[in-house]
Amino acid sequence: GPRTAALTTCGSCAPQPDRAMPGPDATAVRRAAYCSGCFSVVATALAVGLIVLSTQSDVQGCDAVQFAHLNATCLRDGFTRQRQNRFYDFTFDICDAMANLLAIPPVLHLADVYRHQGSAAKLLVPAFAIGTGVTALQLVYRAGTHTAVDWMAGPDWDLSDEQVRTLAISSFIAQSQSMWLFALDFLLEAIGMLCAANLVYASEKVMPRGWAHLGVFGAFLGLLSFFMEIGRFGSWQLMSEVAGLTMGVLGFIVQPIWIVWLGSSLENASRASYRSARLDDGR
C-alpha cells in the first residue's frame, strides 16, 4: 500500500553505518606512516653519530682551522675517517630516502580526505613527491661522488700532499654544486606541512588541530634548515652548527611525531569527512 511504498522510497533515508572514504587500505597506510617515522629517527641518529665520528681524529691538532689551511696530514686523516665511516653515511642516505618515500601513502590519503578543499590539497602531494625525488637524487649523487673520492684518496693512488689538497678542493666544489638543489627537500617538506595545516584549519572535526600546529612548527624548522643550508657560505662553521641543530629537532622529534600522528588519525578523519560529505549531499 501507500505506507509500504513510502517506506520503500525512504529506505535510503535510514541511518547508514559510518565507513571510511574509498582509498588505500587504512592499516597499510598507518604502517607506512609508522615505518616512515622509524626511518626518520634512525636517519637522524646516524647523522648525529657521523658528526661525532667526524670530530674524532687520530692526528693531534687537526681541527677546522687546519682543514681550512689545507694541512695535508689532516686532510689524509679526514679522508681515511670518511672511508671508514662510509657504510654509516650510505645507510643514513638510504634511511632518509625511505622515510620520505614511506610518507607518500599517508599524504596521498590525506589529500583524498581533503580533495574538495582547493589548491592546498592539490599542492600537498606534489610537494612531498618532488621532495622525495630530490632525496633519492641526493642518495645516488652522494654514492657516486663518495665512491670516487674514497678510491682516489685510498692507497691505490698514493697521492702526494699537493694532490691530496687538490682532491680536497675538488671534492668540496663538487658537493657544493648540488648543495642548493638538495636543500630543496627541506623547503618542499615545509610547503607540504603548511598545506596540510591549512587544510586542517579550513575544515573542522576532520584532523586534530594539534597535529596542524605541529606541522606549522615543523614547516618553520624546515624553512630555517633550508636557509641555513644555502647560507653556509656566509659563515660556514656557524651556519653548519645551527643547521645541524634545526635538522636534528626536525628529523628526530617533529617529523616522526607528525607522520605517525597522521597515520594514526587518517581512519577517523576519513569517516568524519565521509559523514560531512553525506550531510552536504543531503542538503
Side-chain angles (χ1 to χ4, degrees):
R3 181 178 299 179
T4 305
L7 289 173
T8 303
T9 304
C10 297
S12 60
C13 302
Q16 300 291 328
D18 288 339
R19 62 181 180 86
M21 294 172 56
D25 179 69
T27 302
V29 170
R30 186 165 57 250
R31 287 175 178 172
Y34 294 167
C35 290
S36 176
C38 291
F39 274 115
S40 180
V41 170
V42 172
T44 307
L46 286 169
V48 173
L50 285 168
I51 292 173
V52 173
L53 289 173
S54 66
T55 61
Q56 297 176 353
S57 174
D58 296 330
V59 180
Q60 190 69 23
C62 283
D63 53 18
V65 175
Q66 293 300 317
F67 280 102
H69 290 166
L70 297 177
N71 184 304
T73 302
C74 295
L75 291 176
R76 289 182 188 276
D77 178 66
F79 282 131
T80 300
R81 284 185 285 113
Q82 287 179 9
R83 190 165 59 251
Q84 292 172 346
N85 300 329
R86 191 60 69 199
F87 171 78
Y88 303 104
D89 194 18
F90 189 57
T91 304
F92 158 75
D93 288 333
I94 292 177
C95 290
D96 191 31
M98 289 300 298
N100 284 272
L101 180 64
L102 289 170
I104 295 297
V107 169
L108 283 170
H109 200 80
L110 181 68
D112 183 58
V113 170
Y114 289 102
R115 64 188 183 279
H116 300 303
Q117 296 297 322
S119 58
K122 296 177 181 177
L123 185 60
L124 176 64
V125 174
F128 279 96
I130 296 174
T132 301
V134 170
T135 306
L137 178 63
Q138 180 180 5
L139 165 64
V140 176
Y141 178 87
R142 280 166 51 88
T145 303
H146 291 167
T147 300
V149 171
D150 290 346
W151 175 52
M152 295 182 69
D156 294 340
W157 281 65
D158 192 24
L159 301 179
S160 65
D161 288 351
E162 192 60 35
Q163 289 172 329
V164 168
R165 294 187 182 98
T166 302
L167 178 61
I169 294 173
S170 301
S171 175
F172 180 78
I173 292 175
Q175 295 180 53
S176 300
Q177 287 177 334
S178 59
M179 183 173 295
W180 284 35
L181 171 64
F182 296 148
L184 283 176
D185 60 346
F186 294 110
L187 178 62
L188 291 166
E189 183 179 10
I191 293 174
M193 284 184 165
L194 285 176
C195 288
N198 180 67
L199 292 172
V200 175
Y201 293 143
S203 179
E204 298 180 357
K205 298 180 180 180
V206 177
M207 285 290 291
R209 296 181 73 86
W211 178 79
H213 300 334
L214 181 64
V216 171
F217 179 61
F220 168 75
L221 291 178
L223 290 173
L224 189 59
S225 299
F226 170 74
F227 287 115
M228 291 301 103
E229 280 284 281
I230 66 176
R232 286 191 182 191
F233 295 108
S235 177
W236 185 271
Q237 190 68 24
L238 176 62
M239 293 296 183
S240 297
E241 292 174 358
V242 176
L245 178 62
T246 56
M247 292 176 196
V249 175
L250 178 62
F252 199 73
I253 300 175
V254 177
Q255 186 178 9
I257 295 176
W258 186 85
I259 193 66
V260 169
W261 196 348
L262 170 62
S264 61
S265 303
L266 275 174
E267 189 170 0
N268 291 333
S270 295
R271 291 194 178 99
S273 178
Y274 176 73
R275 287 195 299 266
S276 177
R278 283 185 57 201
L279 290 174
D280 291 339
D281 293 341
R283 291 174 184 172

